[in-house]
Amino acid sequence: MGSGGQFTSHITSEEKVCRLLNALTAPLHGLDNNWYTRDGEKLPIMVLMPMNESALMSSISQGIEPAVQLAIQHIRESRQYSFSLITKIYDTECDNAKGLRAFFDAICYGPKHLMIFGGVCPSVTSIIAESLEGWNLVQLSFAATTPVLADRKKYPNFFRTVPSDNAVNPAVVKFLNYYNWSRVGTLTQDVQRFSEVRNDLTNELEKADIQIADTESFSNDPCVNVKKLKDNDVRIIIGQFDENLAAKVFCCAYNLNMYGSKYQWIIPGWYQGNWWEQANSTNCTTKKLLTAMEGYISVDFEPLSAKQIKGISGRMPQEYEREYNREREQKGVEASKFHGFAYDGMWVIAKTLTRVMELLRHKERHDMYHNFTVDDREVGKMVLDVMNETNFFGVTGQVMFRNGERMGTIKFTQFQEGQEMKVGEYNAIADVLDLINNTIRFQGVEPPKDRTFVRLQRRQINVPLYSILSTITILGMLMGGAFLFFNIKNRNHRLIKMSSPYMNNLIILGGMLSYASIFLFGLDGSFVSDKEFETLCTVRTWILIVGYTTAFGAMFAKTWRVHAIFKNVKMKKKIIKDQKLFIIVGGMLLIDLCILICWQIVDPLKRTVEEYSLEADPQGRDISIRPFLEHCENTHMTIWLGIVYAYKGLLMLFGCFLAWETRNVSIPALNDSKYIGMSVYNVGIMCIIGAAVSFLTRDQPNVQFCIVALVIIFCSTITLCLVFVPKFITMRTNPDAATQNRRLKFTQNQKKEDSKTSTSVTSVNQANTSRLDGLQSDNHRLRMRITELDKELEEVTMQLQDTPEKTPYIKQNHYQDVNNILSIRNFTDGKDGEKSLKNHLEQKPQAQWGSMDPSRISRGPLEDINSPEHIQRRLSLQLPILHHAYLPSIGGVDASCSSPTSSPASSPHHRHMPPSYRVMVSGL
């Protein structure tokens, strides 16, 4: 058994000596083994407590003595007991050695004590209580609250009328449950007394399923530990420390702003009055301490019952208190908060001894041999059993023991405006918490939360912003629909037909798809489910990419056709139909689909949630807001975006190249290079700016959506307007001007290619070379003139073939144009063509298109020549020649394949020409 075993052996030897002395001196003390048989017997009670004023906790003993004497008086006055209690006080001086010496002196030299009353100092009390079983004595304490004495294996003969420090723990748990606090933290002074309470509290909290978020212990400076509690978001703090360190704790709490409506402190309630003034050794002023302390809850046992019920003494607690105060004042001692427990303790002893005497007398009467004797061991066991059955209402409430522990009443007080006010109590016997209505005042409108309640808040698109941008998008789509209607309605008009109406439809379709993606970019988790959001991630990406490629692919394909035709300086056969342009656009889209399908299969877009740091509630509630934002991302997002941007960038560069190469094509209906350049410039700049700003504002969905939507709207609108608004204006003002060749400029490359076709004149002198260049320029200009006259000639031919009855109404200028064409062909062919052409140009200036020569009207023979019959016969001969003359300039048969005098049918190239090309072959 170690030291404990040695101590027990030592006590046993001392016990023998003391028992021998007791046997010899028992007659002198007037108490023998038959004490229970006589009425009016004076029963001695050993009282152990520090009485020396210099001893620690002596003030408690001085305030106890009036209560003890008052209890003995009331017991005697009740006339319910056949004995009188005699108390003999032994001064322990709160010293272990002196206390133990006083105890042995009382055992050896004092009267035969039936019970021990007292025990104030924990250390002295625990030493004596551990040896009681060997002396067959039972001790009843009124002031020892240390939890150590609750160990029944070590202290089986110890009882106390005052609740232990651990008795407050069930009350605290009940209080926590009342306010639904399920997360707490503890702050404990590193002393055995407080550590034991903390350990017991931990067990109680675990039983109640209350989480202990943090457990902190400190010796001197608590600020570091208080800071840890704050960092761990502990709102409900249960403290176990004395009043000296309590001031430091609340000073730290003030500096860390751990007070007010968000925090609740629960501390011991046994501090002295105005403790913050006496124990303030911090650098915080009293005002700061009071600010931090405001609202704390203190928990302690109830010194006197608040119930107005007459107890075992026939007095209510309030009546007893008045009598006690009179006795105390007469003796001039300070009140002790343990006086009520001492008063009830004397009544416990009286009731216990009365019951023991009854049991002994009963046994003696029923002893058939009439030689009944009882020893100290049996009496001690009977006292122990009777003590466990104690149950009465005293001045401190219901007096009842459970495993030697007093099942008392725990009170709750709150620090309000500089003073403590009782707000409720806990009845340990009934396990009931009773809070006084409207007495607890929390700093906020509601009790503090036991943690920072985090409310996830989606950063979503603002509905008004979404509505405004959606309205603008709808207007853009309506504009695109108007352009589509305009394009379809006028698709057979010369201006629209020359600008490739089918490609225009694709441009509009691409713009409409881009517009539609805005609606999808504005939808987030507040409108759709998580699964639907992932689907939106893919759909909106596909729609935007396909729409972009469709619009600009069609625009660039149309420009490529113009480039292919007008860069063919040799005027070779060049037929590019719309079907080929559709194939080009389809190829671009096929590349898009390959990229998107690989993206979707290998690394699909998924919904990811990005959470941000906590923010205060804007409405001032005791909650924190954790914003989160939904993104469409995947593992290798940068790689896939790089592939898409690279492809789109190459497409833009290709468009810029085509626009630059066709910048000098002078037919507005064909040449959109200026508008394409403007579109590419605007789209490129806006995409670069939009992508950069969108990346920088990824945590601001409203700003990001606004920028993305405005970029798409701006790019789509600018593109559609640049393509269709000029056509619409031209249709309303001068529909024929757009199809006329107003000017023709050739680049340096074109001149070099034309010079290569004239290798036969390279040996001519410099003057002839300059003259030849001029003639070549005139030759090209006239060829382009032939191209422009082609459509007018087609109209004349169609009128002759389809409506021969209307031929008398054919304008004279048409016939003049035919003659001009034939004349030009004669001038441009043959060996003397160049000279004849120049003479022709000098002698006869070119007539205005649509004008009529007045001299021809005045000549009679010409009227016969230009009669419908002559024209019909002449065209039958001249049209094949004319067809052969200008067809090479627009991509028809090569001029070298036959001569003007050859029959059209004799040429192998012409023989296999489709009938639709016998009048005109158009590359557009």
Side-chain angles (χ1 to χ4, degrees):
M1 294 178 59
S3 61
Q6 295 175 1
F7 180 76
T8 303
S9 174
H10 175 72
I11 291 297
T12 303
S13 61
E14 291 289 342
E15 181 182 2
K16 294 179 181 179
V17 177
C18 290
R19 288 185 184 278
L20 179 60
L21 292 175
N22 279 330
L24 294 175
T25 60
L28 299 176
H29 295 312
L31 186 66
D32 54 18
N33 289 336
N34 296 323
W35 58 269
Y36 60 89
T37 61
R38 297 182 296 268
D39 293 333
E41 189 77 15
K42 295 180 179 180
L43 303 180
I45 304 298
M46 183 191 304
V47 180
L48 298 174
M49 55 185 180
M51 298 301 296
N52 193 332
E53 293 183 359
S54 63
L56 186 66
M57 303 178 73
S58 60
S59 59
I60 297 177
S61 302
Q62 294 174 3
I64 288 298
E65 189 176 2
V68 173
Q69 297 302 325
L70 195 59
I72 293 174
Q73 177 185 341
H74 291 167
I75 291 172
R76 185 169 57 250
E77 292 175 355
S78 66
R79 299 184 182 275
Q80 297 179 1
Y81 303 94
S82 60
F83 55 84
S84 60
L85 297 177
I86 304 299
T87 59
K88 177 65 175 177
I89 299 177
Y90 296 90
D91 187 7
T92 62
E93 299 185 31
C94 260
D95 181 85
N96 294 345
K98 294 180 180 180
L100 194 59
R101 175 62 181 269
F103 172 69
F104 280 112
D105 287 345
I107 292 293
C108 295
Y109 305 108
K112 184 178 181 180
H113 300 93
L114 298 177
M115 290 185 66
I116 300 175
F117 183 65
V120 177
C121 303
S123 58
V124 177
T125 304
S126 60
I127 291 175
I128 295 175
E130 191 174 0
S131 64
L132 293 177
E133 188 176 8
W135 296 101
N136 298 316
L137 291 174
V138 175
Q139 181 178 2
L140 179 64
S141 175
F142 53 82
T145 61
T146 176
V148 176
L149 297 172
D151 187 356
R152 299 309 291 174
K153 293 182 179 180
K154 194 173 184 180
Y155 311 102
N157 288 27
F158 180 81
F159 291 81
R160 49 187 164 188
T161 56
V162 61
S164 72
D165 293 336
N166 285 345
V168 301
N169 291 333
V172 170
V173 172
K174 201 75 173 180
F175 186 77
L176 296 175
N177 288 331
Y178 182 85
Y179 287 104
N180 296 320
W181 291 330
S182 59
R183 185 176 184 270
V184 300
T186 60
L187 181 64
T188 309
Q189 182 180 349
D190 196 8
V191 177
Q192 182 181 5
R193 174 185 179 184
F194 300 116
S195 299
E196 291 169 353
V197 176
R198 191 264 318 277
N199 294 337
D200 183 75
L201 176 63
T202 301
N203 295 330
E204 295 290 338
L205 293 174
E206 290 177 354
K207 292 177 183 178
D209 197 23
I210 296 177
Q211 177 189 359
I212 302 177
D214 190 14
T215 300
E216 295 294 331
S217 299
F218 66 95
S219 297
N220 187 27
D221 185 9
C223 291
V224 175
N225 306 93
V226 174
K227 178 67 166 54
K228 289 181 180 179
L229 291 173
K230 182 177 182 179
D231 294 340
N232 289 326
D233 191 34
V234 177
R235 299 289 198 89
I236 311 302
I237 306 169
I238 303 174
Q240 293 291 338
F241 36 75
D242 58 33
E243 57 261 42
N244 294 321
L245 290 179
K248 294 184 179 180
V249 169
F250 283 106
C251 182
C252 298
Y254 180 85
N255 295 330
L256 294 172
N257 199 29
M258 291 182 64
Y259 63 92
S261 60
K262 294 184 178 180
Y263 293 91
Q264 182 61 61
W265 289 84
I266 302 175
I267 63 175
W270 42 262
Y271 299 164
Q272 298 296 325
N274 297 332
W275 59 267
W276 55 89
E277 297 178 355
Q278 303 173 8
N280 187 9
S281 60
T282 65
N283 55 0
C284 292
T285 62
T286 303
K287 183 178 180 181
K288 292 181 179 179
L289 283 181
L290 293 176
T291 301
M293 291 161 51
E294 184 66 25
Y296 76 70
I297 299 293
S298 60
V299 187
D300 195 14
F301 52 81
E302 184 75 271
L304 288 177
S305 176
K307 296 180 179 180
Q308 296 183 355
I309 301 176
K310 290 184 178 182
I312 191 172
S313 65
R315 295 168 178 81
M316 290 186 295
Q318 296 76 16
E319 296 175 345
Y320 155 75
E321 187 176 19
R322 288 193 295 268
E323 293 185 35
Y324 167 76
N325 289 330
R326 282 198 305 267
E327 292 290 332
R328 172 182 67 78
E329 291 172 358
Q330 289 176 2
K331 294 184 178 182
V333 295
E334 295 292 332
S336 172
K337 70 173 185 177
F338 297 101
H339 67 86
F341 299 103
Y343 180 84
D344 284 344
M346 295 304 297
W347 282 95
V348 171
I349 292 175
K351 286 185 65 67
T352 300
L353 293 179
T354 300
R355 180 59 178 163
V356 170
M357 291 175 67
E358 292 177 356
L359 293 175
L360 291 174
R361 290 175 181 179
H362 179 73
K363 286 187 176 182
E364 186 180 24
R365 286 194 301 266
H366 291 81
D367 183 23
M368 62 178 60
Y369 300 105
H370 301 286
N371 58 352
F372 176 76
T373 58
V374 61
D375 57 6
D376 293 342
R377 185 180 299 276
E378 188 175 358
V379 172
K381 187 177 185 307
M382 293 178 67
V383 172
L384 190 62
D385 294 338
V386 172
M387 288 282 288
N388 284 320
E389 297 174 358
T390 302
N391 189 0
F392 65 88
F393 188 83
V395 294
T396 58
Q398 196 73 24
V399 180
M400 184 178 179
F401 301 104
R402 181 177 299 169
N403 294 325
E405 294 294 305
R406 168 70 185 275
M407 304 300 293
T409 302
I410 306 299
K411 71 171 181 178
F412 291 87
T413 58
Q414 186 179 35
F415 189 77
Q416 299 177 1
E417 299 178 356
Q419 60 182 356
E420 291 188 346
M421 179 176 292
K422 183 179 178 180
V423 295
E425 63 180 28
Y426 168 75
N427 189 334
I429 298 175
D431 191 26
V432 174
L433 176 65
D434 184 17
L435 297 179
I436 303 174
N437 294 333
N438 302 322
T439 54
I440 295 184
R441 298 178 185 176
F442 294 107
Q443 302 300 300
V445 295
E446 59 182 358
K449 307 296 183 182
D450 61 358
R451 71 198 73 192
T452 299
F453 280 92
V454 178
R455 177 173 296 177
L456 293 176
Q457 187 177 78
R458 178 183 287 104
R459 287 185 177 178
Q460 60 188 25
I461 307 299
N462 189 270
V463 176
L465 176 64
Y466 182 76
S467 302
I468 293 173
L469 293 176
S470 297
T471 302
I472 298 175
T473 303
I474 292 173
L475 293 177
M477 298 182 75
L478 291 176
M479 180 193 70
F483 287 152
L484 181 63
F485 175 77
F486 168 77
N487 190 69
I488 294 176
K489 181 180 179 182
N490 300 284
R491 65 185 181 278
N492 293 322
H493 192 278
R494 184 189 317 153
L495 175 64
I496 304 301
K497 190 171 185 179
M498 292 182 69
S499 65
S500 301
Y502 293 111
M503 292 296 103
N504 292 341
N505 291 342
L506 287 182
I507 295 174
I508 296 173
L509 177 61
M512 299 283 271
L513 289 175
S514 299
Y515 279 129
S517 67
I518 297 177
F519 298 110
L520 303 181
F521 275 105
L523 297 178
D524 52 26
S526 59
F527 297 98
V528 296
S529 63
D530 295 346
K531 186 176 181 180
E532 292 172 345
F533 183 82
E534 284 195 358
T535 304
L536 283 178
C537 291
T538 303
V539 172
R540 69 190 188 186
T541 304
W542 283 52
I543 289 179
L544 181 60
I545 292 177
V546 171
Y548 175 91
T549 303
T550 302
F552 283 90
M555 186 186 302
F556 297 157
K558 185 173 68 171
T559 307
W560 172 80
R561 179 164 65 180
V562 176
H563 173 269
I565 292 175
F566 285 91
K567 281 297 181 177
N568 184 31
V569 296
K570 294 183 179 181
M571 295 301 175
K572 296 290 183 179
K573 177 181 178 181
K574 202 71 173 181
I575 301 176
I576 302 176
K577 298 182 179 181
D578 285 344
Q579 289 83 346
K580 189 170 184 179
L581 302 186
F582 278 118
I583 293 174
I584 294 174
V585 177
M588 295 179 182
L589 290 176
L590 183 61
I591 297 175
D592 271 337
L593 290 178
C594 291
I595 295 175
L596 292 173
I597 291 174
C598 292
W599 189 351
Q600 182 65 24
I601 295 176
V602 176
D603 193 12
L605 288 171
K606 295 182 179 179
R607 173 183 177 270
T608 60
V609 177
E610 181 180 4
E611 294 185 353
Y612 299 91
S613 58
L614 294 176
E615 299 176 357
D617 180 53
Q619 300 179 3
R621 295 171 297 179
D622 187 19
I623 61 174
S624 295
I625 304 298
R626 184 179 295 279
F628 73 94
L629 188 59
E630 297 167 309
H631 296 292
C632 293
E633 293 180 345
N634 53 13
T635 306
H636 306 288
M637 189 73 175
T638 305
I639 297 176
W640 294 108
L641 289 179
I643 295 174
V644 173
Y645 289 159
Y647 172 55
K648 301 303 177 185
L650 292 175
L651 190 62
M652 296 285 280
L653 291 176
F654 178 66
C656 292
F657 168 76
L658 294 178
W660 176 261
E661 287 292 310
T662 59
R663 67 189 184 281
N664 292 321
V665 176
S666 59
I667 303 177
L670 298 176
N671 186 16
D672 291 332
S673 61
K674 179 175 66 176
Y675 304 125
I676 292 175
M678 293 174 63
S679 297
V680 171
Y681 174 79
N682 289 314
V683 170
I685 294 298
M686 291 301 297
C687 287
I688 293 174
I689 295 175
V693 177
S694 176
F695 177 79
L696 295 176
T697 59
R698 57 176 284 137
D699 59 339
Q700 303 177 40
N702 287 314
V703 178
Q704 188 182 47
F705 171 66
C706 184
I707 291 173
V708 171
L710 290 179
V711 167
I712 295 175
I713 292 173
F714 179 82
C715 295
S716 301
T717 305
I718 284 294
T719 301
L720 293 178
C721 289
L722 289 176
V723 172
F724 292 98
V725 170
K727 293 179 175 55
F728 180 78
I729 295 175
T730 304
M731 287 284 295
R732 297 295 299 268
T733 56
N734 188 9
D736 294 330
T739 59
Q740 296 179 3
N741 184 14
R742 294 175 295 184
R743 63 185 180 87
L744 183 63
K745 295 181 180 180
F746 288 93
T747 62
Q748 190 65 26
N749 293 332
Q750 289 172 322
K751 291 183 179 180
K752 290 181 179 180
E753 291 179 2
D754 289 340
S755 64
K756 293 179 182 179
T757 61
S758 305
T759 54
S760 61
V761 296
T762 54
S763 60
V764 186
N765 55 38
Q766 185 175 2
N768 292 335
T769 302
S770 300
R771 178 173 174 270
L772 180 61
D773 290 341
L775 292 176
Q776 286 179 342
S777 177
D778 293 337
N779 186 18
H780 278 284
R781 180 170 57 81
L782 292 175
R783 286 183 179 181
M784 294 305 298
R785 178 65 174 169
I786 293 172
T787 303
E788 294 175 0
L789 295 175
D790 176 65
K791 285 186 175 291
E792 298 294 336
L793 181 60
E794 181 185 17
E795 293 180 4
V796 173
T797 305
M798 295 303 295
Q799 291 181 17
L800 290 174
Q801 292 178 352
D802 297 339
T803 56
E805 67 277 3
K806 297 180 181 180
T807 54
Y809 304 99
I810 297 176
K811 298 180 180 180
Q812 295 295 328
N813 58 335
H814 293 167
Y815 308 140
Q816 181 67 26
D817 293 336
V818 173
N819 292 327
N820 289 341
I821 294 173
L822 296 175
S823 300
I824 290 170
R825 178 60 183 169
N826 291 329
F827 291 145
T828 57
D829 289 339
K831 296 180 180 180
D832 298 330
E834 296 175 357
K835 182 176 181 180
S836 300
L837 175 61
K838 184 175 182 181
N839 294 334
H840 174 75
L841 293 174
E842 292 175 353
Q843 293 175 5
K844 184 179 180 180
Q846 183 177 357
Q848 294 294 328
W849 177 257
S851 63
M852 185 169 293
D853 189 358
S855 62
R856 295 187 64 180
I857 302 175
S858 61
R859 287 181 293 181
L862 290 177
E863 294 179 358
D864 296 336
I865 293 173
N866 292 329
S867 64
E869 292 80 2
H870 286 89
I871 291 175
Q872 182 74 24
R873 289 194 300 270
R874 186 167 54 187
L875 285 177
S876 63
L877 177 63
Q878 292 176 343
L879 282 178
I881 299 173
L882 179 62
H883 168 74
H884 183 84
Y886 74 85
L887 199 57
S889 67
I890 60 172
V893 297
D894 195 345
S896 63
C897 66
S898 61
S899 65
T901 58
S902 301
S903 173
S906 64
S907 174
H909 294 276
H910 195 82
R911 186 181 308 116
H912 300 288
M913 186 70 63
S916 59
Y917 293 157
R918 291 179 182 176
V919 177
M920 180 193 73
V921 178
S922 174
L924 303 179

